């Protein structure tokens, strides 16, 4: 959401070079027949907010049903994932969980809780630590979110059966900070910093969920600004 007026957690600035390289893959290319867990089953819709398909009935990350935490956002907060289906079943599974990891951050802010089960379900490692610190910063400031964010230009690279990288852009020009106590929305004008480039690394958990383990963000990146 609109994060320009709040500091970004330093822990989110993990080395970007590690995110989109096949660390630990032994340099082996991911072949078309090397099916990643969950690539043949479940709902992989990512054109709308992952919160709309994050109930326990969703099984996009595993051949078995995954009991997913709630990601329902307040009525004044919306997220749209534009063009997040590639047609490649494996990549679509990864993208779906990458989107849910992003929504889990928004959900945690709106709940006023950096320790939500949703956040630790979809994130781990330095990404989780950084996101918790960042959510806590916002909550401690007395703020929450209001408005709409559009996520677009998503790109997924599957390194092997248990690791992948995803980059995507965010348009926060219609999203704003809101005072949690007074409910007043701070409708600041859009700038280049309203557009953010995210780079993430994901790893497949034992429960069959693609968790975001590393994350970096860059505001005003030319790849995302209109």
């Amino acid at each position: 959401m609109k994060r320009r007026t709040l500091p970004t957690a330093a822990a989110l600035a993990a080395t970007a070079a590690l995110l989109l390289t096949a660390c630990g893959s032994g340099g082996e290319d991911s072949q078309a027949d090397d099916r990643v867990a969950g690539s043949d089953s479940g709902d992989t819709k990512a054109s709308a907010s992952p919160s709309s398909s994050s109930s326990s009935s969703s099984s996009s990350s595993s051949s078995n049903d995954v009991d997913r935490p709630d990601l329902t956002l307040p009525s004044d907060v919306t997220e749209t994932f534009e063009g997040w289906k590639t047609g490649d079943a494996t990549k679509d599974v990864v993208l779906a969980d990458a989107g849910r990891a992003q929504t889990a951050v928004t959900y945690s802010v709106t709940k006023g809780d950096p320790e939500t089960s949703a956040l630790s379900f979809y994130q781990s490692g330095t990404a989780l630590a950084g996101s918790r610190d960042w959510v806590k910063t916002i909550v401690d400031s007395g703020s929450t979110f209001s408005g709409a964010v559009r996520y677009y230009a998503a790109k997924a690279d599957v390194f092997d059966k248990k690791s992948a990288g995803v980059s995507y852009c965010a348009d926060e020009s219609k999203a704003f900070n809101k005072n949690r106590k007074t409910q007043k929305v701070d409708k600041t004008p859009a700038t280049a910093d309203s557009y953010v480039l995210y780079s993430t690394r994901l790893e497949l958990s034992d429960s069959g969920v693609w968790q975001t383990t590393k994350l970096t963000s860059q505001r005003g990146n030319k790849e995302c600004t209109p």
Side-chain angles (χ1 to χ4, degrees), residues 176-210:
F176 310 96
N177 293 325
K178 181 173 73 172
N179 186 290
R180 191 178 296 275
K181 183 176 180 180
T182 67
Q183 298 295 294
K184 182 180 178 180
V185 178
D186 181 17
K187 291 192 174 182
T188 54
T191 69
D193 283 347
S194 302
Y195 302 90
V196 190
L197 174 65
Y198 288 94
S199 299
T200 67
R201 178 178 173 85
L202 298 93
E203 297 179 9
L204 188 64
S205 71
D206 292 340
S207 61
V209 175
W210 283 93

mmCIF file of all heavy atoms in Angstrom, residues 176-210:
data_model
loop_
_atom_site.group_PDB
_atom_site.id
_atom_site.type_symbol
_atom_site.label_atom_id
_atom_site.label_comp_id
_atom_site.label_asym_id
_atom_site.label_seq_id
_atom_site.Cartn_x
_atom_site.Cartn_y
_atom_site.Cartn_z
ATOM 1 N N PHE A 176 -3.122 4.544 0.373
ATOM 2 C CA PHE A 176 -2.744 5.593 1.309
ATOM 3 C C PHE A 176 -2.620 5.062 2.734
ATOM 4 O O PHE A 176 -3.181 4.028 3.088
ATOM 5 C CB PHE A 176 -3.792 6.720 1.285
ATOM 6 C CG PHE A 176 -4.116 7.201 -0.100
ATOM 7 C CD1 PHE A 176 -5.218 6.710 -0.775
ATOM 8 C CD2 PHE A 176 -3.293 8.123 -0.740
ATOM 9 C CE1 PHE A 176 -5.513 7.136 -2.058
ATOM 10 C CE2 PHE A 176 -3.576 8.550 -2.028
ATOM 11 C CZ PHE A 176 -4.694 8.058 -2.690
ATOM 12 N N ASN A 177 -1.885 5.822 3.535
ATOM 13 C CA ASN A 177 -1.839 5.543 4.961
ATOM 14 C C ASN A 177 -3.103 6.084 5.618
ATOM 15 O O ASN A 177 -3.650 7.112 5.210
ATOM 16 C CB ASN A 177 -0.611 6.206 5.590
ATOM 17 C CG ASN A 177 0.680 5.595 5.108
ATOM 18 O OD1 ASN A 177 0.763 4.407 4.869
ATOM 19 N ND2 ASN A 177 1.705 6.427 4.955
ATOM 20 N N LYS A 178 -3.571 5.379 6.655
ATOM 21 C CA LYS A 178 -4.761 5.794 7.385
ATOM 22 C C LYS A 178 -4.476 5.746 8.878
ATOM 23 O O LYS A 178 -3.887 4.779 9.364
ATOM 24 C CB LYS A 178 -5.947 4.874 7.047
ATOM 25 C CG LYS A 178 -7.239 5.268 7.746
ATOM 26 C CD LYS A 178 -8.425 4.435 7.254
ATOM 27 C CE LYS A 178 -8.400 3.032 7.741
ATOM 28 N NZ LYS A 178 -9.660 2.289 7.415
ATOM 29 N N ASN A 179 -4.873 6.784 9.572
ATOM 30 C CA ASN A 179 -4.707 6.827 11.015
ATOM 31 C C ASN A 179 -5.633 5.791 11.646
ATOM 32 O O ASN A 179 -6.842 5.838 11.467
ATOM 33 C CB ASN A 179 -5.027 8.226 11.550
ATOM 34 C CG ASN A 179 -4.738 8.367 13.030
ATOM 35 O OD1 ASN A 179 -5.425 7.785 13.872
ATOM 36 N ND2 ASN A 179 -3.714 9.143 13.348
ATOM 37 N N ARG A 180 -5.051 4.866 12.373
ATOM 38 C CA ARG A 180 -5.851 3.765 12.911
ATOM 39 C C ARG A 180 -6.879 4.242 13.934
ATOM 40 O O ARG A 180 -7.979 3.682 14.026
ATOM 41 C CB ARG A 180 -4.917 2.730 13.560
ATOM 42 C CG ARG A 180 -5.597 1.422 13.930
ATOM 43 C CD ARG A 180 -4.596 0.440 14.514
ATOM 44 N NE ARG A 180 -3.590 0.068 13.544
ATOM 45 C CZ ARG A 180 -3.736 -0.912 12.650
ATOM 46 N NH1 ARG A 180 -4.867 -1.605 12.612
ATOM 47 N NH2 ARG A 180 -2.778 -1.204 11.800
ATOM 48 N N LYS A 181 -6.559 5.301 14.663
ATOM 49 C CA LYS A 181 -7.458 5.786 15.707
ATOM 50 C C LYS A 181 -8.558 6.675 15.145
ATOM 51 O O LYS A 181 -9.744 6.483 15.437
ATOM 52 C CB LYS A 181 -6.657 6.545 16.767
ATOM 53 C CG LYS A 181 -7.493 7.032 17.928
ATOM 54 C CD LYS A 181 -6.619 7.699 18.983
ATOM 55 C CE LYS A 181 -7.450 8.186 20.161
ATOM 56 N NZ LYS A 181 -6.598 8.834 21.209
ATOM 57 N N THR A 182 -8.171 7.660 14.310
ATOM 58 C CA THR A 182 -9.149 8.622 13.798
ATOM 59 C C THR A 182 -9.800 8.171 12.500
ATOM 60 O O THR A 182 -10.814 8.741 12.091
ATOM 61 C CB THR A 182 -8.481 9.983 13.556
ATOM 62 O OG1 THR A 182 -7.525 9.860 12.476
ATOM 63 C CG2 THR A 182 -7.774 10.464 14.813
ATOM 64 N N GLN A 183 -9.180 7.169 11.823
ATOM 65 C CA GLN A 183 -9.646 6.666 10.531
ATOM 66 C C GLN A 183 -9.466 7.694 9.410
ATOM 67 O O GLN A 183 -10.009 7.534 8.320
ATOM 68 C CB GLN A 183 -11.117 6.238 10.593
ATOM 69 C CG GLN A 183 -11.373 5.093 11.568
ATOM 70 C CD GLN A 183 -10.679 3.806 11.125
ATOM 71 O OE1 GLN A 183 -11.014 3.225 10.098
ATOM 72 N NE2 GLN A 183 -9.702 3.365 11.910
ATOM 73 N N LYS A 184 -8.706 8.741 9.664
ATOM 74 C CA LYS A 184 -8.437 9.736 8.641
ATOM 75 C C LYS A 184 -7.430 9.198 7.636
ATOM 76 O O LYS A 184 -6.380 8.681 8.010
ATOM 77 C CB LYS A 184 -7.913 11.020 9.269
ATOM 78 C CG LYS A 184 -7.654 12.129 8.252
ATOM 79 C CD LYS A 184 -7.127 13.401 8.928
ATOM 80 C CE LYS A 184 -6.834 14.472 7.878
ATOM 81 N NZ LYS A 184 -6.310 15.725 8.507
ATOM 82 N N VAL A 185 -7.749 9.347 6.343
ATOM 83 C CA VAL A 185 -6.880 8.853 5.279
ATOM 84 C C VAL A 185 -5.998 9.989 4.770
ATOM 85 O O VAL A 185 -6.476 11.085 4.470
ATOM 86 C CB VAL A 185 -7.715 8.276 4.118
ATOM 87 C CG1 VAL A 185 -6.806 7.814 2.984
ATOM 88 C CG2 VAL A 185 -8.579 7.120 4.618
ATOM 89 N N ASP A 186 -4.704 9.728 4.677
ATOM 90 C CA ASP A 186 -3.739 10.716 4.200
ATOM 91 C C ASP A 186 -3.552 10.550 2.694
ATOM 92 O O ASP A 186 -2.716 9.772 2.234
ATOM 93 C CB ASP A 186 -2.403 10.527 4.934
ATOM 94 C CG ASP A 186 -1.349 11.539 4.511
ATOM 95 O OD1 ASP A 186 -1.720 12.571 3.916
ATOM 96 O OD2 ASP A 186 -0.153 11.278 4.753
ATOM 97 N N LYS A 187 -4.338 11.269 1.915
ATOM 98 C CA LYS A 187 -4.318 11.119 0.454
ATOM 99 C C LYS A 187 -3.228 12.006 -0.152
ATOM 100 O O LYS A 187 -3.479 13.090 -0.645
ATOM 101 C CB LYS A 187 -5.680 11.441 -0.136
ATOM 102 C CG LYS A 187 -6.738 10.410 0.220
ATOM 103 C CD LYS A 187 -8.007 10.592 -0.603
ATOM 104 C CE LYS A 187 -8.990 9.469 -0.338
ATOM 105 N NZ LYS A 187 -10.215 9.587 -1.162
ATOM 106 N N THR A 188 -2.013 11.503 -0.093
ATOM 107 C CA THR A 188 -0.882 12.209 -0.670
ATOM 108 C C THR A 188 -0.846 12.015 -2.178
ATOM 109 O O THR A 188 -1.285 10.989 -2.694
ATOM 110 C CB THR A 188 0.428 11.697 -0.061
ATOM 111 O OG1 THR A 188 0.479 10.269 -0.224
ATOM 112 C CG2 THR A 188 0.517 12.039 1.406
ATOM 113 N N PRO A 189 -0.326 12.981 -2.931
ATOM 114 C CA PRO A 189 -0.269 12.857 -4.393
ATOM 115 C C PRO A 189 0.723 11.795 -4.839
ATOM 116 O O PRO A 189 1.712 11.511 -4.141
ATOM 117 C CB PRO A 189 0.162 14.251 -4.842
ATOM 118 C CG PRO A 189 0.894 14.827 -3.666
ATOM 119 C CD PRO A 189 0.189 14.283 -2.463
ATOM 120 N N ALA A 190 0.467 11.213 -5.987
ATOM 121 C CA ALA A 190 1.351 10.184 -6.528
ATOM 122 C C ALA A 190 2.646 10.797 -7.045
ATOM 123 O O ALA A 190 2.663 11.909 -7.570
ATOM 124 C CB ALA A 190 0.648 9.443 -7.654
ATOM 125 N N THR A 191 3.728 10.060 -6.851
ATOM 126 C CA THR A 191 5.035 10.439 -7.379
ATOM 127 C C THR A 191 5.682 9.193 -7.962
ATOM 128 O O THR A 191 5.089 8.107 -7.964
ATOM 129 C CB THR A 191 5.942 11.014 -6.266
ATOM 130 O OG1 THR A 191 6.291 9.951 -5.357
ATOM 131 C CG2 THR A 191 5.248 12.129 -5.512
ATOM 132 N N ALA A 192 6.911 9.322 -8.429
ATOM 133 C CA ALA A 192 7.637 8.156 -8.944
ATOM 134 C C ALA A 192 7.783 7.089 -7.871
ATOM 135 O O ALA A 192 7.809 5.885 -8.152
ATOM 136 C CB ALA A 192 9.008 8.573 -9.466
ATOM 137 N N ASP A 193 7.838 7.515 -6.602
ATOM 138 C CA ASP A 193 7.983 6.561 -5.499
ATOM 139 C C ASP A 193 6.716 5.759 -5.237
ATOM 140 O O ASP A 193 6.723 4.850 -4.405
ATOM 141 C CB ASP A 193 8.385 7.300 -4.220
ATOM 142 C CG ASP A 193 9.851 7.677 -4.204
ATOM 143 O OD1 ASP A 193 10.598 7.166 -5.054
ATOM 144 O OD2 ASP A 193 10.245 8.492 -3.348
ATOM 145 N N SER A 194 5.633 6.095 -5.937
ATOM 146 C CA SER A 194 4.404 5.310 -5.810
ATOM 147 C C SER A 194 4.533 3.976 -6.531
ATOM 148 O O SER A 194 3.680 3.096 -6.368
ATOM 149 C CB SER A 194 3.218 6.087 -6.403
ATOM 150 O OG SER A 194 3.049 7.322 -5.773
ATOM 151 N N TYR A 195 5.594 3.819 -7.306
ATOM 152 C CA TYR A 195 5.797 2.603 -8.097
ATOM 153 C C TYR A 195 7.022 1.867 -7.578
ATOM 154 O O TYR A 195 8.095 2.445 -7.423
ATOM 155 C CB TYR A 195 5.942 2.956 -9.576
ATOM 156 C CG TYR A 195 4.725 3.701 -10.085
ATOM 157 C CD1 TYR A 195 4.653 5.090 -10.021
ATOM 158 C CD2 TYR A 195 3.620 3.007 -10.582
ATOM 159 C CE1 TYR A 195 3.520 5.773 -10.443
ATOM 160 C CE2 TYR A 195 2.483 3.683 -11.008
ATOM 161 C CZ TYR A 195 2.444 5.065 -10.937
ATOM 162 O OH TYR A 195 1.314 5.735 -11.346
ATOM 163 N N VAL A 196 6.840 0.584 -7.287
ATOM 164 C CA VAL A 196 7.866 -0.186 -6.587
ATOM 165 C C VAL A 196 8.205 -1.455 -7.365
ATOM 166 O O VAL A 196 7.305 -2.141 -7.874
ATOM 167 C CB VAL A 196 7.388 -0.590 -5.175
ATOM 168 C CG1 VAL A 196 8.539 -1.164 -4.358
ATOM 169 C CG2 VAL A 196 6.747 0.582 -4.454
ATOM 170 N N LEU A 197 9.490 -1.761 -7.449
ATOM 171 C CA LEU A 197 9.941 -3.032 -8.012
ATOM 172 C C LEU A 197 10.314 -3.959 -6.871
ATOM 173 O O LEU A 197 11.135 -3.621 -6.015
ATOM 174 C CB LEU A 197 11.157 -2.828 -8.917
ATOM 175 C CG LEU A 197 11.818 -4.111 -9.450
ATOM 176 C CD1 LEU A 197 10.864 -4.871 -10.371
ATOM 177 C CD2 LEU A 197 13.129 -3.797 -10.162
ATOM 178 N N TYR A 198 9.687 -5.129 -6.831
ATOM 179 C CA TYR A 198 9.993 -6.148 -5.836
ATOM 180 C C TYR A 198 10.769 -7.292 -6.487
ATOM 181 O O TYR A 198 10.444 -7.718 -7.602
ATOM 182 C CB TYR A 198 8.720 -6.718 -5.218
ATOM 183 C CG TYR A 198 8.006 -5.789 -4.280
ATOM 184 C CD1 TYR A 198 6.968 -4.968 -4.721
ATOM 185 C CD2 TYR A 198 8.365 -5.728 -2.932
ATOM 186 C CE1 TYR A 198 6.316 -4.104 -3.853
ATOM 187 C CE2 TYR A 198 7.710 -4.874 -2.054
ATOM 188 C CZ TYR A 198 6.687 -4.068 -2.520
ATOM 189 O OH TYR A 198 6.043 -3.219 -1.665
ATOM 190 N N SER A 199 11.769 -7.804 -5.782
ATOM 191 C CA SER A 199 12.496 -9.000 -6.198
ATOM 192 C C SER A 199 12.492 -9.975 -5.027
ATOM 193 O O SER A 199 12.850 -9.596 -3.906
ATOM 194 C CB SER A 199 13.934 -8.672 -6.599
ATOM 195 O OG SER A 199 13.967 -7.784 -7.695
ATOM 196 N N THR A 200 12.075 -11.208 -5.284
ATOM 197 C CA THR A 200 11.928 -12.160 -4.188
ATOM 198 C C THR A 200 12.520 -13.516 -4.550
ATOM 199 O O THR A 200 12.632 -13.866 -5.728
ATOM 200 C CB THR A 200 10.449 -12.372 -3.817
ATOM 201 O OG1 THR A 200 9.770 -13.032 -4.896
ATOM 202 C CG2 THR A 200 9.755 -11.045 -3.547
ATOM 203 N N ARG A 201 12.876 -14.241 -3.528
ATOM 204 C CA ARG A 201 13.265 -15.643 -3.676
ATOM 205 C C ARG A 201 12.277 -16.470 -2.883
ATOM 206 O O ARG A 201 11.902 -16.107 -1.760
ATOM 207 C CB ARG A 201 14.683 -15.893 -3.170
ATOM 208 C CG ARG A 201 15.109 -17.374 -3.255
ATOM 209 C CD ARG A 201 16.542 -17.593 -2.789
ATOM 210 N NE ARG A 201 16.878 -19.006 -2.717
ATOM 211 C CZ ARG A 201 17.295 -19.739 -3.736
ATOM 212 N NH1 ARG A 201 17.433 -19.180 -4.920
ATOM 213 N NH2 ARG A 201 17.582 -21.020 -3.588
ATOM 214 N N LEU A 202 11.843 -17.596 -3.444
ATOM 215 C CA LEU A 202 10.891 -18.479 -2.776
ATOM 216 C C LEU A 202 11.452 -19.888 -2.690
ATOM 217 O O LEU A 202 12.198 -20.329 -3.570
ATOM 218 C CB LEU A 202 9.553 -18.522 -3.528
ATOM 219 C CG LEU A 202 8.789 -17.207 -3.646
ATOM 220 C CD1 LEU A 202 9.141 -16.498 -4.945
ATOM 221 C CD2 LEU A 202 7.284 -17.447 -3.589
ATOM 222 N N GLU A 203 11.078 -20.574 -1.614
ATOM 223 C CA GLU A 203 11.480 -21.966 -1.431
ATOM 224 C C GLU A 203 10.266 -22.783 -1.008
ATOM 225 O O GLU A 203 9.406 -22.292 -0.267
ATOM 226 C CB GLU A 203 12.603 -22.058 -0.393
ATOM 227 C CG GLU A 203 13.869 -21.339 -0.839
ATOM 228 C CD GLU A 203 14.989 -21.399 0.188
ATOM 229 O OE1 GLU A 203 14.845 -22.153 1.183
ATOM 230 O OE2 GLU A 203 15.986 -20.684 0.013
ATOM 231 N N LEU A 204 10.198 -23.991 -1.485
ATOM 232 C CA LEU A 204 9.063 -24.856 -1.196
ATOM 233 C C LEU A 204 9.188 -25.431 0.212
ATOM 234 O O LEU A 204 10.167 -26.096 0.541
ATOM 235 C CB LEU A 204 9.001 -25.995 -2.217
ATOM 236 C CG LEU A 204 7.768 -26.896 -2.173
ATOM 237 C CD1 LEU A 204 6.505 -26.108 -2.508
ATOM 238 C CD2 LEU A 204 7.931 -28.070 -3.135
ATOM 239 N N SER A 205 8.180 -25.177 1.047
ATOM 240 C CA SER A 205 8.204 -25.670 2.423
ATOM 241 C C SER A 205 7.771 -27.126 2.481
ATOM 242 O O SER A 205 7.248 -27.690 1.509
ATOM 243 C CB SER A 205 7.266 -24.832 3.297
ATOM 244 O OG SER A 205 5.906 -25.098 2.969
ATOM 245 N N ASP A 206 7.964 -27.742 3.624
ATOM 246 C CA ASP A 206 7.573 -29.132 3.810
ATOM 247 C C ASP A 206 6.063 -29.328 3.660
ATOM 248 O O ASP A 206 5.596 -30.416 3.330
ATOM 249 C CB ASP A 206 8.017 -29.629 5.192
ATOM 250 C CG ASP A 206 9.527 -29.726 5.311
ATOM 251 O OD1 ASP A 206 10.200 -29.784 4.262
ATOM 252 O OD2 ASP A 206 10.030 -29.732 6.452
ATOM 253 N N SER A 207 5.300 -28.265 3.914
ATOM 254 C CA SER A 207 3.840 -28.362 3.797
ATOM 255 C C SER A 207 3.344 -28.103 2.383
ATOM 256 O O SER A 207 2.149 -28.139 2.130
ATOM 257 C CB SER A 207 3.173 -27.375 4.762
ATOM 258 O OG SER A 207 3.549 -26.049 4.450
ATOM 259 N N GLY A 208 4.278 -27.858 1.454
ATOM 260 C CA GLY A 208 3.894 -27.667 0.063
ATOM 261 C C GLY A 208 3.543 -26.237 -0.298
ATOM 262 O O GLY A 208 2.861 -25.996 -1.296
ATOM 263 N N VAL A 209 4.020 -25.263 0.488
ATOM 264 C CA VAL A 209 3.771 -23.847 0.219
ATOM 265 C C VAL A 209 5.064 -23.192 -0.245
ATOM 266 O O VAL A 209 6.138 -23.416 0.328
ATOM 267 C CB VAL A 209 3.253 -23.131 1.481
ATOM 268 C CG1 VAL A 209 3.099 -21.637 1.236
ATOM 269 C CG2 VAL A 209 1.927 -23.735 1.921
ATOM 270 N N TRP A 210 4.968 -22.380 -1.299
ATOM 271 C CA TRP A 210 6.126 -21.631 -1.774
ATOM 272 C C TRP A 210 6.270 -20.387 -0.898
ATOM 273 O O TRP A 210 5.560 -19.401 -1.059
ATOM 274 C CB TRP A 210 5.962 -21.261 -3.242
ATOM 275 C CG TRP A 210 6.224 -22.416 -4.148
ATOM 276 C CD1 TRP A 210 5.319 -23.304 -4.643
ATOM 277 C CD2 TRP A 210 7.502 -22.806 -4.657
ATOM 278 N NE1 TRP A 210 5.950 -24.238 -5.419
ATOM 279 C CE2 TRP A 210 7.285 -23.960 -5.455
ATOM 280 C CE3 TRP A 210 8.791 -22.313 -4.525
ATOM 281 C CZ2 TRP A 210 8.333 -24.605 -6.119
ATOM 282 C CZ3 TRP A 210 9.828 -22.953 -5.175
ATOM 283 C CH2 TRP A 210 9.592 -24.092 -5.962
#
